[in-house]
Amino acid sequence: MRRLISKGVNLNIKALRYGLRQAMRLERRLNDSFDQAAHNKAVVQSTCRYDMFSAADEGYYQNQYWHWIEKFLTQEKVNPHGCFLDAGCGHGRMSIPLAKWCGVHGKVTGIDLSEPAIEQAKQYAHEEQVSVEFFATDLLIFLQKTETDSFDGVLLLEIVFFLPNYKAILKEITRVLKPGGFFIGSFRSQYFNLLHSMRNGLWDSTDMILGQRTGALVGGAVQFNWHTLPELRSTLQELAFDICHVVGIGSCSGIPGDPHDFVRPSVLSKQEKMSLMKSEKTIGELLPETGRYILISSKLKKI
């Protein structure tokens, strides 16, 4: 019986992957231009299907992110009484720990395109008894309307990979940051996307991933971005950021569909999860591009 069930599951997976490959080929034939409205709609819909705050594996990655973020804040002696922005905050996964770190004297603002995600983030903040000012709006428009030197620090986590205008957003972040303010961003690597496509049988994507840095990886309206670490270093340095620390997030584990999804934090025992975290902290520093995301902590130069 188990063999029959396993065989049936494998057949279903193969059928789904075949269908996805065919959809990708059709999408490339039909769509030669980028549709921003369709892209935004698909991104918002994804936030309704997947809650970054409450999903089974995400608490583990929240803790991994916060380990490195808090370490950076402590080492750089960042004043918690400042004004901070969580750009693309989603369901508030990192806005809430940042607000807890700030206490009652600091101010955290969370911005996201998805109104459903923002409404859920407000509820989570209320439950966690922290104050975060959340807004559902386009990130670039928000930044363009924000005064220069408004923030002491900006988070841009797990969002650049589907921002077609991320370069313009990074430029605006340098403007709204105070000199000496920090910027912490996470980016998809070329290596991760290459493994992801192979893991899911999307071999038609491999040439695109090797030769480009943007494209519709899985068909549909969403355009994704990916990078190499040298390219990210160059981009941030050109924007007057001094890079302080680089680490991979989730170098040995993943959520369903990821290259390393055979190790899922949510199904591990407490001891196993501790061992995984220790391993990922070590490997993440040694090999940042192996992570689900490359996390870069930096400071804006004082000019």
Side-chain angles (χ1 to χ4, degrees), residues 230-247:
E231 291 165 353
L232 290 171
R233 288 185 182 277
S234 177
T235 296
L236 293 178
Q237 288 167 354
E238 287 176 2
L239 291 170
F241 285 110
D242 285 325
I243 296 174
C244 304
H245 188 241
V246 180
V247 66

Side-chain angles (χ1 to χ4, degrees), residues 110-144:
I111 301 298
D112 200 271
L113 181 66
S114 172
E115 188 170 347
I118 287 294
E119 290 305 311
Q120 189 62 66
K122 291 178 180 178
Q123 180 62 35
Y124 288 140
H126 176 74
E127 293 171 0
E128 296 289 330
Q129 298 182 341
V130 295
S131 176
V132 182
E133 194 170 17
F134 288 111
F135 297 100
T137 186
D138 181 89
L139 178 55
L140 182 58
I141 293 175
F142 171 84
L143 291 169
Q144 290 171 337

Side-chain angles (χ1 to χ4, degrees), residues 139-189:
L139 178 55
L140 182 58
I141 293 175
F142 171 84
L143 291 169
Q144 290 171 337
K145 292 181 178 179
T146 300
E147 293 184 5
T148 300
D149 299 345
S150 290
F151 294 105
D152 297 279
V154 174
L155 302 180
L156 188 71
L157 304 176
E158 299 196 10
I159 180 174
V160 171
F161 75 103
F162 58 66
L163 285 177
N165 56 354
Y166 76 90
K167 291 182 179 180
I169 286 171
L170 288 175
K171 288 181 181 179
E172 283 298 311
I173 286 174
T174 64
R175 184 184 62 79
V176 301
L177 263 179
K178 297 176 184 178
F182 72 81
F183 168 71
I184 301 177
S186 65
F187 307 84
R188 281 287 199 205
S189 73

Side-chain angles (χ1 to χ4, degrees), residues 228-281:
T228 66
L229 184 52
E231 291 165 353
L232 290 171
R233 288 185 182 277
S234 177
T235 296
L236 293 178
Q237 288 167 354
E238 287 176 2
L239 291 170
F241 285 110
D242 285 325
I243 296 174
C244 304
H245 188 241
V246 180
V247 66
I249 297 293
S251 296
C252 308
S253 65
I255 63 175
D258 281 354
H260 305 315
D261 63 359
F262 52 87
V263 180
R264 287 192 59 192
S266 60
V267 302
L268 301 179
S269 68
K270 182 178 180 180
Q271 186 60 46
E272 289 169 339
K273 200 177 295 185
M274 289 174 62
S275 296
L276 175 62
M277 184 71 81
K278 180 180 179 180
S279 299
E280 292 199 311
K281 288 176 182 176

Side-chain angles (χ1 to χ4, degrees), residues 27-47:
E27 185 73 25
R28 287 170 185 165
R29 288 197 299 268
L30 296 178
N31 294 306
D32 294 325
S33 59
F34 174 64
D35 187 335
Q36 181 73 61
H39 172 90
N40 289 351
K41 182 179 180 181
V43 169
V44 170
Q45 288 175 340
S46 72
T47 68

Side-chain angles (χ1 to χ4, degrees), residues 64-65 67-69 71-72 75 229 233 243-252 276-297:
Q64 193 170 139
Y65 269 114
H67 166 81
W68 296 115
I69 293 172
K71 185 175 182 178
F72 170 82
Q75 289 179 342
L229 184 52
R233 288 185 182 277
I243 296 174
C244 304
H245 188 241
V246 180
V247 66
I249 297 293
S251 296
C252 308
L276 175 62
M277 184 71 81
K278 180 180 179 180
S279 299
E280 292 199 311
K281 288 176 182 176
T282 301
I283 296 301
E285 285 195 291
L286 291 173
L287 303 167
E289 287 184 273
T290 63
R292 300 181 66 238
Y293 293 91
I294 302 171
L295 181 67
I296 300 180
S297 303

